[in-house]
């Protein structure tokens, strides 16, 4: 089987800072892949590079077998790669419904898709339904994360990339978000998940990559990573 997404020897920079050093990652259809690593390791940069917010200096990014380096970000979104960035970035002055409509930007002429998408979001997150006309800025952190995920789904992703969805949330909300990520995956969306909460991520994921100062230093099945001494010491807090 060919990978859905394949990064080969990808190098990304911020000016002179070499943020990604010959990164190799493969993601297969239907997987949940966790990207683990400490602060500043290059996790968000990896997602930004995949979604073309940053153009790598060298290397290849193949999506469905085609090199997508240099393709503009909106075309990446249209092709089915959707990135939910760190810190959620919802439109706080707009209502939940308005945020969801904007998430369906590539389907803006398809009123039926928008309507059904909003219903799907509300099935997934009943809390959003109860608050559909509330301004997004007044939602709790967990609700904002739910909205960010729902908004991403409105773009019909084949690959959904989530950058620390559990950041700053209470354990019970983290559990709920993780359960929903699993459900989204079971409905057919491939997931690339960045998490500082390695325990939660490795419970959910099929495989994981560990990134340290711009280098992938380990990749394996989630079972193997859960038992790995280095991962346990540095990331599972034992
Ligand atoms: N806009 C930027 N300009 C310059 N350097 C940057 C920029 N964004 C990130 N960096 C640097 O690139 C490196 C990787 O950053 P990145 O945001 O990818 O880390 P991360 O693994 O997502 O960390 P965190 O867990 O804190 O979110 C860091 O050294 C960071 O300081
Ligand atoms: Mg980050």
């Amino acid at each position: 089987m060919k990978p859905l997404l394949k990064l080969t020897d990808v190098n990304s920079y911020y000016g002179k800072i070499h943020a990604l050093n010959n990164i190799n990652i493969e993601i297969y259809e239907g997987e949940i892949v966790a990207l683990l690593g400490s602060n500043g390791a290059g996790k968000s940069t990896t997602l930004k590079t995949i979604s073309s917010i940053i153009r790598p200096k060298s290397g290849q990014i193949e999506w469905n077998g085609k090199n997508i380096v240099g393709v503009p970000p909106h075309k990446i979104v249209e092709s089915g790669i959707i990135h939910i960035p760190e810190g959620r970035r919802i439109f706080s002055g707009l209502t939940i419904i308005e945020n969801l409509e904007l998430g369906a930007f590539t389907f803006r002429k398809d009123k039926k898709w928008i309507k059904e998408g909003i219903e799907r979001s509300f099935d997934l997150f009943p809390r959003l339904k109860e608050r559909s006309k509330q301004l997004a800025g007044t939602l709790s952190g967990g609700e904002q994360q739910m909205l960010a995920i729902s908004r991403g789904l409105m773009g019909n992703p084949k690959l959904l990339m989530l950058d620390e969805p559990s950041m700053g949330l209470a354990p019970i909300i983290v559990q709920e978000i993780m359960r929903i990520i699993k459900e989204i995956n079971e409905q057919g969306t491939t997931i690339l998940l960045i998490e500082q909460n390695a325990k939660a991520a490795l419970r959910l994921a099929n495989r994981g990559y560990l990134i340290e100062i711009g280098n992938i230093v380990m990749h394996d099945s989630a079972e193997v990573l859960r038992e790995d001494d280095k991962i346990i010491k540095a990331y599972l807090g034992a």
Side-chain angles (χ1 to χ4, degrees):
M1 200 170 61
K2 277 195 172 169
L4 187 62
L5 182 76
K6 183 175 180 186
L7 278 67
T8 311
D9 296 333
V10 169
N11 286 281
S12 291
Y13 289 78
Y14 296 103
K16 286 193 175 128
I17 298 170
H18 193 174
L20 298 182
N21 185 9
N22 283 322
I23 294 283
N24 290 288
I25 294 177
E26 291 185 349
I27 298 174
Y28 291 86
E29 191 165 359
E31 284 192 306
I32 300 180
V33 174
L35 181 59
L36 310 174
S38 14
N39 289 125
K43 303 180 300 297
S44 298
T45 305
T46 303
L47 296 201
K48 286 183 204 162
T49 304
I50 295 169
S51 50
S52 244
I53 296 166
I54 295 173
R55 186 183 177 138
K57 221 170 218 165
S58 63
Q60 277 211 328
I61 304 175
E62 284 164 85
W63 168 242
N64 277 318
K66 271 193 223 125
N67 192 4
I68 55 167
V69 171
V71 171
H74 72 275
K75 292 279 178 197
I76 302 276
V77 171
E78 277 173 29
S79 79
I81 299 179
I82 291 186
H83 176 181
I84 300 175
E86 234 169 344
R88 290 142 208 168
R89 315 250 181 92
I90 47 155
F91 298 101
S92 43
L94 301 182
T95 65
I96 289 186
I97 298 242
E98 288 162 345
N99 268 274
L100 293 174
E101 285 168 352
L102 283 174
F105 181 75
T106 43
F107 298 93
R108 62 195 173 281
K109 298 205 179 83
D110 188 344
K111 297 286 174 255
K112 182 160 172 276
W113 167 266
I114 294 177
K115 188 166 171 285
E116 288 169 2
I118 291 173
E119 279 165 18
R120 264 197 307 278
S121 300
F122 290 166
D123 286 345
L124 216 47
F125 296 112
R127 277 165 181 251
L128 295 184
K129 185 172 189 171
E130 293 157 21
R131 295 167 174 76
S132 63
K133 300 220 170 67
Q134 192 171 322
L135 293 184
T138 64
L139 298 171
S140 73
E143 289 158 0
Q144 291 190 12
Q145 185 61 57
M146 293 172 193
L147 178 58
I149 294 175
S150 301
R151 197 181 60 185
L153 292 175
M154 293 295 288
N156 197 22
K158 290 193 194 74
L159 174 68
L160 186 65
M161 307 195 292
L162 299 125
D163 196 340
E164 301 200 34
S166 73
M167 171 87 95
L169 303 182
I172 183 137
I173 306 292
V174 174
Q175 270 179 33
E176 190 178 345
I177 300 275
M178 293 295 161
R179 181 180 59 73
I180 298 288
I181 293 172
K182 177 98 189 140
E183 196 173 320
I184 292 168
N185 174 251
E186 282 164 357
Q187 289 171 7
T189 307
T190 306
I191 308 270
L192 176 56
L193 173 65
I194 292 187
E195 263 301 335
Q196 292 245 351
N197 186 340
K199 207 172 248 171
L202 289 177
R203 230 182 274 134
L204 204 65
N206 306 100
R207 292 190 303 118
Y209 287 80
L210 175 62
I211 183 167
E212 285 180 348
I213 2 178
N215 293 277
I216 300 286
V217 293
M218 204 185 290
H219 63 98
D220 218 317
S221 69
E223 293 87 64
V224 171
L225 294 178
R226 276 200 298 264
E227 302 298 324
D228 184 88
D229 281 346
K230 180 187 164 98
I231 299 263
I232 292 173
K233 272 210 195 86
Y235 301 97
L236 298 179

